[in-house]
Amino acid sequence: MLAVGLVVIIKVAYIATVKRDYWMDVASRLVRDSVDVKPIRGNILSCDGRLMASSLPEFRMFMDFKAGGDDNETRDSLWEAKVDSICMGLHDIFPTKTAAEFKRHLEEGRAKGSRHWPVWRGRVSYNTFSEVKQLPVFNLSANKGGFHYEKFNARQRPFGSLAKRTIGDLFGAKDTAQFGLELSYDSILRGKMGKISRQKVRSKFLDITIQDPVNGADIVTTIDVNIQDLAERALIDELKLVNGNVGVAVVMEVKTGDIKAIVNMTKCADGEYYEIKNSAVSDLLEPGSVFKTASLMVALDDGVVDTTYTVDTGSGIWDMYGAKMRDHNWHRGGYQVLTLPQTLEYSSNIGVSRIIDKYYGKNPEKFVQGLNRIGIREDLKLPIVGYAPPRIRMPKKNSRGQYVNWSKTALPWMSIGYETQVPPISTLTFYNAIANNGTMMRPRFVKAVEKDGQVIQEFPPQVIKQRICKEKTLREIQTILEHVVSQGLGKKAGSPSFKVAGKTGTAQISKGLSGYKSGTMNYLLSFVGFFPADAPRYSCIVCIQKPGLPASSGFSALVFHNIAEGIMAQSLKLDVADARDSLSIFIPEVKSGDLVAADYVLKYLGIDAYKNWSLSPTDGHPIWGKAEWSPKKMTLEHKPACADNEVPDVTGMGARDAVYALERRGVKVKIYGRGKVTHQSLPPGHRIRKGDRCTLKLEI
C-alpha cells in the first residue's frame, strides 16, 4: 500500500511539473471561456401597445455529413434509404425548389464530406424550422443524424412597411440598427450581453453561466396604427393620381406634440411607392407659401400693421428691385387692392412681400429675429438620425456696414418661403403651436420605456416655447387661417362636419446649380393646418413633390381633407340602436367570411341567427363559413377550412376577409370593384406556389 501511494504521488508531481504545459494545452481545447450570449432585443410598440417591431427567432439549417465518425455505416445506410423522402419533404416545405434539385444539392455536400453544408440558403421562421426538423434523419440528434442549426433573433414588423422609416430596421446579418427609432434608442432596445463558459465533456459541450444576458427594454411610441394606415393610404392614392415623386404626411396631437402618424413615400423604378428616406425630418426645401403665415405673424406681433391694413398688388406682376414677382393669377389681372387677411386667404406673393419689405427692408435683422421669436427657426433636436434643423440665414455686415450675405431681393423672396430651407416637421410644429394657443411643443416620438410590463422611464411632453406671440396676434392668425379654408384657396381641405384651419403652399424646387430654369420644373405642393379649428385636437402637414404642370396645392389639401375626416370618423361614438330603420329590411345582408364577427354584430342588433356550429374562438382565430340570407332568416353555416397550402373559396366574402384568408397563405391579392367577391382568378383547391397572385372581382 505504501509503495502504491508513493508511486501515485510521484506520478502526480511529474504531471504537475514536467507535463504541465501539455495538459494545459489539452484543457484549453476542451474549454471556451467568455462566450457571448445575445440578449433578446426589446419591442417597439404603438401608442396603444400593439407590436410594431419585435424580435422573433429565425434559423439557418446545416448538415454534418461526418457526424458519428468517418466510417459510420449505420448513418450512411439510413441516409441512402431516406434521402428521397427527405427531398420530397423539403420540396413540400420550399415549393420553389424541386425534390431533384434538393437531392443534387445534398448529395454534393455529402460527396465533399462537408460538416456544415446548408440545407437551405437563407434564414427560415420557427414554424418552417419545426417542419424541417420532423423529416427523417433530420429528427435525430446532431451527433447521430448530422442536422444542426444556427439561431438568430430576427426583427419582424407585424404591420409590414407601416411607418418603416420612422420605426427603423436592422442589418440582418449583423443584428445591428440601421436607422429610425431602432438606431436612436439602440442602447435601450439592445440590452446587455451575457457570458458563458463552455466545457467539453466526452463529445458534448456543457454551458456554465458566468453572467446572464439582460434582455432589452420595450419602447412605447406615439404612433397610432389606425391613423398611420389612414394617412399612408390617403397619400399614396393621391401620389398615384398626380404622378408625384415624393410624398410626406405627418399628423401631430396638438396638446402633447405626439406624432400620431408619419408617412414618407418615394416613387421607385418599378412605379410603386416605398419608404426610402425620412423626408419629413430631413428634407431641406424652400417651403413656399406656408411660410407666409410666419411672415405676417412677425409683422402683426411687432405692431407695424393690423388686420385692416391694405396693400396694392397691382395687376399680379410687381417689380421688386429689378426682379419680377408674380401672383398665381397674374394672367387674369391680379387681385388689385387686398386687406392683410386677404393676402393669406388668396396667398398673394406680392401682398405679403410688399408688407414685409416696407417695414423690414432697411432692417432685415429685425425680421429674422422675429422669426426666432415665433419659433420657426427653432432646432427641434429630434431623436431621429438624419434630422436637419431649419436653415434661415441671419443678415451679416462687414466692418464697413455693408451686407455680405444679403441682397435687396432676399427679404421679399424670403417672406414668401424662398431663400429658406425648412423641413416639413418644423413647419408643422409652428402651426401646431398656433393651434395650441401659442404654446410650442417638441414633437414626441417615444413616450415611455417598459420592462416586463412595468414603466421604467417616461418621456413627458416638452414645451419649447410657452408663447410664440401676443394673445391678440394669435387670435387674428387663427381667424385668418380658418378663413383660408372657408373662403380662400384652401377650400378642398375643409369639411362640412367640422371646421378646419390651415394654409396652402406651392413652391418651385430649385435644381442645384441649374437653378429654377433647367427644363421641366419640379414643384412642392403643401397644405398644413389643424382641426377642428374651434377646439383643435390634431395638426397635419401634407407635402407632395411632382414634376411639371398641373401643380396645385389643392392636391395636398385633398389628402389633408381625407386624413382629417378619417380621424374624426374614428372618434364618433354611435349607439348601435341608431342603425335600425323601421322602413328598411329588418335583417341586414351578411357577407360570408368570419362568422364570429358577423354573429357579434347581429347579436348587438338584436337579431338571432341560426348556426350549425358551437365553436368558441378562444385562440383568437376566426371561424370561416357561408352566410345564407333571406329577409326573415339568417343562417351562419360553418365550413371546414382548407389546407394552408391550398387556395380557399372566398366567393361571397367581403374584401377584408377574402384578403386575410388568401394573404395568410402567402398569396398576393389584387382587388377590383366593391361589395362582395364574385370571382377569384385562382380556383378553390389550387395548390399554392411561391409568388402566386390572385385577382378578386367584387360587385354589390
Side-chain angles (χ1 to χ4, degrees), residues 367-409:
F367 176 73
V368 180
Q369 288 167 359
L371 295 177
N372 282 341
R373 185 177 67 247
I374 66 175
I376 193 70
R377 285 186 83 203
E378 194 74 29
D379 183 353
L380 303 178
K381 297 181 173 67
L382 299 184
I384 301 291
V385 175
Y387 160 71
R391 295 178 184 174
I392 303 174
R393 71 180 186 273
M394 175 67 77
K396 295 180 181 179
K397 292 181 179 179
N398 58 22
S399 58
R400 297 188 299 275
Q402 298 171 324
Y403 287 111
V404 295
N405 66 337
W406 208 257
S407 65
K408 288 188 176 181
T409 59

Short mmCIF file of all heavy atoms in Angstrom, two decimals, residues 367-409:
data_model
loop_
_atom_site.label_atom_id
_atom_site.label_comp_id
_atom_site.label_asym_id
_atom_site.label_seq_id
_atom_site.Cartn_x
_atom_site.Cartn_y
_atom_site.Cartn_z
N PHE A 367 -36.50 91.34 -38.83
CA PHE A 367 -37.45 90.34 -39.32
C PHE A 367 -37.00 88.93 -38.94
O PHE A 367 -37.80 88.13 -38.45
CB PHE A 367 -37.58 90.47 -40.85
CG PHE A 367 -38.46 89.42 -41.46
CD1 PHE A 367 -39.84 89.46 -41.30
CD2 PHE A 367 -37.92 88.37 -42.20
CE1 PHE A 367 -40.66 88.49 -41.86
CE2 PHE A 367 -38.73 87.39 -42.77
CZ PHE A 367 -40.10 87.46 -42.60
N VAL A 368 -35.70 88.63 -39.14
CA VAL A 368 -35.20 87.29 -38.82
C VAL A 368 -35.26 87.06 -37.30
O VAL A 368 -35.54 85.95 -36.85
CB VAL A 368 -33.78 87.10 -39.36
CG1 VAL A 368 -33.26 85.70 -39.01
CG2 VAL A 368 -33.75 87.29 -40.87
N GLN A 369 -35.01 88.12 -36.53
CA GLN A 369 -35.15 87.99 -35.07
C GLN A 369 -36.60 87.68 -34.70
O GLN A 369 -36.87 86.93 -33.75
CB GLN A 369 -34.69 89.28 -34.40
CG GLN A 369 -33.17 89.48 -34.44
CD GLN A 369 -32.75 90.88 -34.07
OE1 GLN A 369 -33.59 91.76 -33.78
NE2 GLN A 369 -31.44 91.14 -34.08
N GLY A 370 -37.53 88.27 -35.45
CA GLY A 370 -38.95 87.96 -35.23
C GLY A 370 -39.26 86.50 -35.54
O GLY A 370 -40.05 85.86 -34.83
N LEU A 371 -38.63 85.95 -36.59
CA LEU A 371 -38.81 84.53 -36.91
C LEU A 371 -38.27 83.67 -35.78
O LEU A 371 -38.85 82.62 -35.45
CB LEU A 371 -38.10 84.19 -38.22
CG LEU A 371 -38.64 84.86 -39.50
CD1 LEU A 371 -37.80 84.46 -40.69
CD2 LEU A 371 -40.11 84.50 -39.73
N ASN A 372 -37.16 84.10 -35.17
CA ASN A 372 -36.64 83.39 -33.99
C ASN A 372 -37.66 83.41 -32.87
O ASN A 372 -37.89 82.40 -32.19
CB ASN A 372 -35.34 84.04 -33.52
CG ASN A 372 -34.14 83.66 -34.36
OD1 ASN A 372 -34.19 82.67 -35.07
ND2 ASN A 372 -33.09 84.45 -34.30
N ARG A 373 -38.26 84.56 -32.66
CA ARG A 373 -39.18 84.74 -31.54
C ARG A 373 -40.41 83.84 -31.67
O ARG A 373 -40.89 83.28 -30.68
CB ARG A 373 -39.60 86.21 -31.47
CG ARG A 373 -40.47 86.56 -30.26
CD ARG A 373 -40.78 88.04 -30.22
NE ARG A 373 -41.65 88.49 -31.31
CZ ARG A 373 -41.27 89.29 -32.29
NH1 ARG A 373 -40.03 89.75 -32.34
NH2 ARG A 373 -42.11 89.65 -33.24
N ILE A 374 -40.91 83.67 -32.88
CA ILE A 374 -42.13 82.87 -33.05
C ILE A 374 -41.82 81.37 -33.20
O ILE A 374 -42.73 80.54 -33.27
CB ILE A 374 -42.96 83.35 -34.25
CG1 ILE A 374 -42.20 83.12 -35.57
CG2 ILE A 374 -43.36 84.81 -34.08
CD1 ILE A 374 -43.01 83.45 -36.81
N GLY A 375 -40.52 81.00 -33.26
CA GLY A 375 -40.15 79.60 -33.19
C GLY A 375 -39.96 78.88 -34.50
O GLY A 375 -39.64 77.68 -34.49
N ILE A 376 -40.10 79.55 -35.64
CA ILE A 376 -39.98 78.84 -36.92
C ILE A 376 -38.53 78.43 -37.21
O ILE A 376 -38.28 77.51 -37.98
CB ILE A 376 -40.54 79.71 -38.07
CG1 ILE A 376 -40.72 78.90 -39.36
CG2 ILE A 376 -39.64 80.91 -38.31
CD1 ILE A 376 -41.82 77.91 -39.32
N ARG A 377 -37.55 79.10 -36.56
CA ARG A 377 -36.13 78.75 -36.75
C ARG A 377 -35.63 77.77 -35.69
O ARG A 377 -34.46 77.42 -35.67
CB ARG A 377 -35.25 80.00 -36.69
CG ARG A 377 -35.29 80.89 -37.91
CD ARG A 377 -34.27 82.02 -37.78
NE ARG A 377 -32.93 81.61 -38.17
CZ ARG A 377 -31.82 82.21 -37.77
NH1 ARG A 377 -31.88 83.21 -36.91
NH2 ARG A 377 -30.64 81.80 -38.21
N GLU A 378 -36.49 77.31 -34.81
CA GLU A 378 -36.08 76.51 -33.67
C GLU A 378 -35.50 75.16 -34.09
O GLU A 378 -36.03 74.48 -34.97
CB GLU A 378 -37.28 76.27 -32.76
CG GLU A 378 -36.95 75.75 -31.39
CD GLU A 378 -36.35 76.83 -30.48
OE1 GLU A 378 -36.67 78.02 -30.67
OE2 GLU A 378 -35.58 76.45 -29.59
N ASP A 379 -34.37 74.79 -33.46
CA ASP A 379 -33.82 73.45 -33.63
C ASP A 379 -34.58 72.51 -32.71
O ASP A 379 -34.51 72.61 -31.48
CB ASP A 379 -32.33 73.45 -33.28
CG ASP A 379 -31.67 72.08 -33.52
OD1 ASP A 379 -32.40 71.12 -33.83
OD2 ASP A 379 -30.44 71.99 -33.38
N LEU A 380 -35.35 71.58 -33.29
CA LEU A 380 -36.24 70.72 -32.50
C LEU A 380 -35.50 69.59 -31.79
O LEU A 380 -36.07 68.93 -30.92
CB LEU A 380 -37.32 70.13 -33.42
CG LEU A 380 -38.18 71.16 -34.16
CD1 LEU A 380 -39.17 70.44 -35.08
CD2 LEU A 380 -38.90 72.08 -33.19
N LYS A 381 -34.25 69.33 -32.18
CA LYS A 381 -33.43 68.28 -31.54
C LYS A 381 -34.17 66.94 -31.49
O LYS A 381 -34.35 66.32 -30.44
CB LYS A 381 -33.00 68.69 -30.13
CG LYS A 381 -32.11 69.93 -30.10
CD LYS A 381 -31.69 70.27 -28.67
CE LYS A 381 -30.66 71.39 -28.63
NZ LYS A 381 -31.18 72.67 -29.08
N LEU A 382 -34.62 66.49 -32.65
CA LEU A 382 -35.40 65.26 -32.72
C LEU A 382 -34.51 64.02 -32.60
O LEU A 382 -33.38 64.02 -33.10
CB LEU A 382 -36.18 65.21 -34.04
CG LEU A 382 -37.18 66.33 -34.28
CD1 LEU A 382 -37.93 66.08 -35.58
CD2 LEU A 382 -38.17 66.44 -33.12
N PRO A 383 -35.02 62.95 -31.97
CA PRO A 383 -34.23 61.72 -31.79
C PRO A 383 -34.29 60.82 -33.02
O PRO A 383 -34.44 59.61 -32.91
CB PRO A 383 -34.92 61.06 -30.59
CG PRO A 383 -36.35 61.44 -30.74
CD PRO A 383 -36.34 62.85 -31.30
N ILE A 384 -34.20 61.41 -34.21
CA ILE A 384 -34.23 60.65 -35.45
C ILE A 384 -32.95 60.95 -36.22
O ILE A 384 -32.67 62.11 -36.54
CB ILE A 384 -35.46 61.04 -36.32
CG1 ILE A 384 -36.77 60.80 -35.57
CG2 ILE A 384 -35.44 60.28 -37.64
CD1 ILE A 384 -37.09 59.35 -35.33
N VAL A 385 -32.18 59.91 -36.50
CA VAL A 385 -30.95 60.11 -37.25
C VAL A 385 -31.29 60.64 -38.65
O VAL A 385 -32.14 60.09 -39.34
CB VAL A 385 -30.17 58.78 -37.36
CG1 VAL A 385 -28.95 58.96 -38.25
CG2 VAL A 385 -29.77 58.29 -35.98
N GLY A 386 -30.63 61.72 -39.05
CA GLY A 386 -30.91 62.35 -40.33
C GLY A 386 -31.71 63.63 -40.20
O GLY A 386 -31.91 64.34 -41.19
N TYR A 387 -32.20 63.92 -38.97
CA TYR A 387 -32.96 65.15 -38.78
C TYR A 387 -32.10 66.37 -39.09
O TYR A 387 -30.93 66.44 -38.70
CB TYR A 387 -33.48 65.24 -37.34
CG TYR A 387 -33.86 66.66 -36.94
CD1 TYR A 387 -34.98 67.28 -37.47
CD2 TYR A 387 -33.06 67.38 -36.04
CE1 TYR A 387 -35.30 68.58 -37.10
CE2 TYR A 387 -33.38 68.67 -35.68
CZ TYR A 387 -34.51 69.27 -36.22
OH TYR A 387 -34.82 70.56 -35.87
N ALA A 388 -32.68 67.34 -39.80
CA ALA A 388 -31.97 68.57 -40.15
C ALA A 388 -32.77 69.77 -39.65
O ALA A 388 -33.95 69.90 -39.97
CB ALA A 388 -31.77 68.66 -41.66
N PRO A 389 -32.18 70.65 -38.84
CA PRO A 389 -32.89 71.83 -38.36
C PRO A 389 -33.09 72.84 -39.49
O PRO A 389 -32.40 72.79 -40.52
CB PRO A 389 -31.96 72.39 -37.28
CG PRO A 389 -30.61 71.89 -37.66
CD PRO A 389 -30.82 70.56 -38.31
N PRO A 390 -34.03 73.78 -39.34
CA PRO A 390 -34.27 74.79 -40.38
C PRO A 390 -33.03 75.63 -40.64
O PRO A 390 -32.21 75.85 -39.75
CB PRO A 390 -35.40 75.64 -39.79
CG PRO A 390 -36.02 74.80 -38.73
CD PRO A 390 -34.94 73.93 -38.19
N ARG A 391 -32.92 76.10 -41.88
CA ARG A 391 -31.83 76.99 -42.26
C ARG A 391 -32.42 78.30 -42.80
O ARG A 391 -32.87 78.36 -43.94
CB ARG A 391 -30.94 76.34 -43.32
CG ARG A 391 -30.20 75.10 -42.83
CD ARG A 391 -29.37 74.48 -43.93
NE ARG A 391 -28.73 73.24 -43.48
CZ ARG A 391 -28.04 72.43 -44.30
NH1 ARG A 391 -27.92 72.74 -45.58
NH2 ARG A 391 -27.49 71.33 -43.81
N ILE A 392 -32.44 79.29 -41.92
CA ILE A 392 -32.90 80.63 -42.30
C ILE A 392 -31.78 81.58 -41.92
O ILE A 392 -31.50 81.78 -40.74
CB ILE A 392 -34.21 81.00 -41.55
CG1 ILE A 392 -35.29 79.95 -41.85
CG2 ILE A 392 -34.69 82.38 -41.96
CD1 ILE A 392 -36.57 80.14 -41.06
N ARG A 393 -31.13 82.14 -42.89
CA ARG A 393 -29.91 82.88 -42.60
C ARG A 393 -30.19 84.24 -41.97
O ARG A 393 -31.20 84.88 -42.27
CB ARG A 393 -29.04 83.05 -43.85
CG ARG A 393 -29.56 84.00 -44.89
CD ARG A 393 -28.57 84.05 -46.07
NE ARG A 393 -28.92 85.05 -47.05
CZ ARG A 393 -29.76 84.86 -48.06
NH1 ARG A 393 -30.34 83.69 -48.20
NH2 ARG A 393 -30.00 85.84 -48.92
N MET A 394 -29.28 84.65 -41.12
CA MET A 394 -29.32 85.97 -40.48
C MET A 394 -28.45 86.93 -41.29
O MET A 394 -27.33 86.58 -41.65
CB MET A 394 -28.81 85.87 -39.05
CG MET A 394 -28.69 87.21 -38.33
SD MET A 394 -30.29 87.99 -37.99
CE MET A 394 -30.85 87.01 -36.60
N PRO A 395 -28.94 88.13 -41.62
CA PRO A 395 -28.12 89.11 -42.36
C PRO A 395 -26.84 89.46 -41.59
O PRO A 395 -26.87 89.61 -40.37
CB PRO A 395 -29.04 90.33 -42.47
CG PRO A 395 -30.41 89.80 -42.28
CD PRO A 395 -30.28 88.64 -41.34
N LYS A 396 -25.74 89.55 -42.31
CA LYS A 396 -24.45 89.89 -41.70
C LYS A 396 -23.82 91.06 -42.46
O LYS A 396 -23.94 91.16 -43.68
CB LYS A 396 -23.50 88.69 -41.72
CG LYS A 396 -23.97 87.53 -40.86
CD LYS A 396 -22.98 86.37 -40.93
CE LYS A 396 -23.47 85.19 -40.10
NZ LYS A 396 -22.53 84.04 -40.18
N LYS A 397 -23.13 91.92 -41.69
CA LYS A 397 -22.46 93.09 -42.27
C LYS A 397 -20.96 92.99 -42.05
O LYS A 397 -20.50 92.38 -41.08
CB LYS A 397 -22.98 94.37 -41.64
CG LYS A 397 -24.44 94.69 -41.99
CD LYS A 397 -24.87 96.00 -41.34
CE LYS A 397 -26.32 96.34 -41.69
NZ LYS A 397 -26.76 97.60 -41.05
N ASN A 398 -20.22 93.61 -42.97
CA ASN A 398 -18.77 93.68 -42.77
C ASN A 398 -18.42 94.92 -41.94
O ASN A 398 -19.31 95.62 -41.43
CB ASN A 398 -18.04 93.69 -44.11
CG ASN A 398 -18.47 94.86 -45.00
OD1 ASN A 398 -18.99 95.88 -44.50
ND2 ASN A 398 -18.26 94.73 -46.30
N SER A 399 -17.13 95.17 -41.80
CA SER A 399 -16.69 96.29 -40.96
C SER A 399 -17.13 97.65 -41.50
O SER A 399 -17.19 98.64 -40.76
CB SER A 399 -15.17 96.26 -40.83
OG SER A 399 -14.56 96.32 -42.12
N ARG A 400 -17.47 97.71 -42.80
CA ARG A 400 -17.91 98.98 -43.40
C ARG A 400 -19.42 99.13 -43.36
O ARG A 400 -19.96 100.07 -43.95
CB ARG A 400 -17.40 99.08 -44.83
CG ARG A 400 -15.88 99.11 -44.95
CD ARG A 400 -15.43 99.40 -46.38
NE ARG A 400 -15.90 98.39 -47.31
CZ ARG A 400 -15.26 97.24 -47.55
NH1 ARG A 400 -14.13 96.97 -46.90
NH2 ARG A 400 -15.73 96.37 -48.41
N GLY A 401 -20.12 98.18 -42.71
CA GLY A 401 -21.57 98.28 -42.60
C GLY A 401 -22.31 97.78 -43.82
O GLY A 401 -23.50 98.03 -43.97
N GLN A 402 -21.63 97.04 -44.71
CA GLN A 402 -22.26 96.51 -45.92
C GLN A 402 -22.63 95.04 -45.70
O GLN A 402 -21.86 94.28 -45.09
CB GLN A 402 -21.29 96.63 -47.11
CG GLN A 402 -20.90 98.06 -47.44
CD GLN A 402 -19.79 98.11 -48.48
OE1 GLN A 402 -18.89 97.27 -48.48
NE2 GLN A 402 -19.83 99.12 -49.35
N TYR A 403 -23.80 94.67 -46.21
CA TYR A 403 -24.24 93.28 -46.09
C TYR A 403 -23.36 92.38 -46.95
O TYR A 403 -23.09 92.67 -48.12
CB TYR A 403 -25.70 93.12 -46.50
CG TYR A 403 -26.68 93.68 -45.50
CD1 TYR A 403 -27.44 94.82 -45.79
CD2 TYR A 403 -26.84 93.08 -44.26
CE1 TYR A 403 -28.33 95.34 -44.87
CE2 TYR A 403 -27.73 93.59 -43.33
CZ TYR A 403 -28.47 94.73 -43.64
OH TYR A 403 -29.35 95.23 -42.72
N VAL A 404 -22.94 91.26 -46.36
CA VAL A 404 -22.06 90.33 -47.09
C VAL A 404 -22.81 89.09 -47.57
O VAL A 404 -22.28 88.33 -48.39
CB VAL A 404 -20.87 89.90 -46.20
CG1 VAL A 404 -19.98 91.09 -45.89
CG2 VAL A 404 -21.35 89.22 -44.91
N ASN A 405 -24.00 88.85 -47.05
CA ASN A 405 -24.77 87.66 -47.45
C ASN A 405 -26.21 88.02 -47.78
O ASN A 405 -27.11 87.22 -47.62
CB ASN A 405 -24.73 86.61 -46.34
CG ASN A 405 -25.46 87.08 -45.08
OD1 ASN A 405 -25.62 88.28 -44.87
ND2 ASN A 405 -25.91 86.13 -44.27
N TRP A 406 -26.40 89.23 -48.24
CA TRP A 406 -27.77 89.74 -48.39
C TRP A 406 -27.87 90.58 -49.65
O TRP A 406 -26.90 91.22 -50.06
CB TRP A 406 -28.14 90.57 -47.16
CG TRP A 406 -29.61 90.60 -46.86
CD1 TRP A 406 -30.48 91.63 -47.11
CD2 TRP A 406 -30.38 89.58 -46.24
NE1 TRP A 406 -31.74 91.30 -46.69
CE2 TRP A 406 -31.71 90.04 -46.14
CE3 TRP A 406 -30.08 88.32 -45.76
CZ2 TRP A 406 -32.73 89.29 -45.59
CZ3 TRP A 406 -31.10 87.56 -45.19
CH2 TRP A 406 -32.40 88.04 -45.12
N SER A 407 -29.04 90.57 -50.25
CA SER A 407 -29.33 91.44 -51.39
C SER A 407 -30.69 92.06 -51.18
O SER A 407 -31.45 91.64 -50.28
CB SER A 407 -29.31 90.63 -52.69
OG SER A 407 -30.37 89.68 -52.70
N LYS A 408 -31.03 93.03 -52.00
CA LYS A 408 -32.31 93.72 -51.83
C LYS A 408 -33.49 92.80 -52.12
O LYS A 408 -34.58 93.00 -51.59
CB LYS A 408 -32.37 94.95 -52.74
CG LYS A 408 -31.49 96.09 -52.27
CD LYS A 408 -31.74 97.35 -53.09
CE LYS A 408 -30.93 98.53 -52.55
NZ LYS A 408 -31.17 99.78 -53.30
N THR A 409 -33.27 91.78 -52.97
CA THR A 409 -34.38 90.86 -53.29
C THR A 409 -34.51 89.73 -52.26
O THR A 409 -35.48 88.99 -52.29
CB THR A 409 -34.17 90.23 -54.68
OG1 THR A 409 -32.93 89.52 -54.68
CG2 THR A 409 -34.17 91.30 -55.76
#
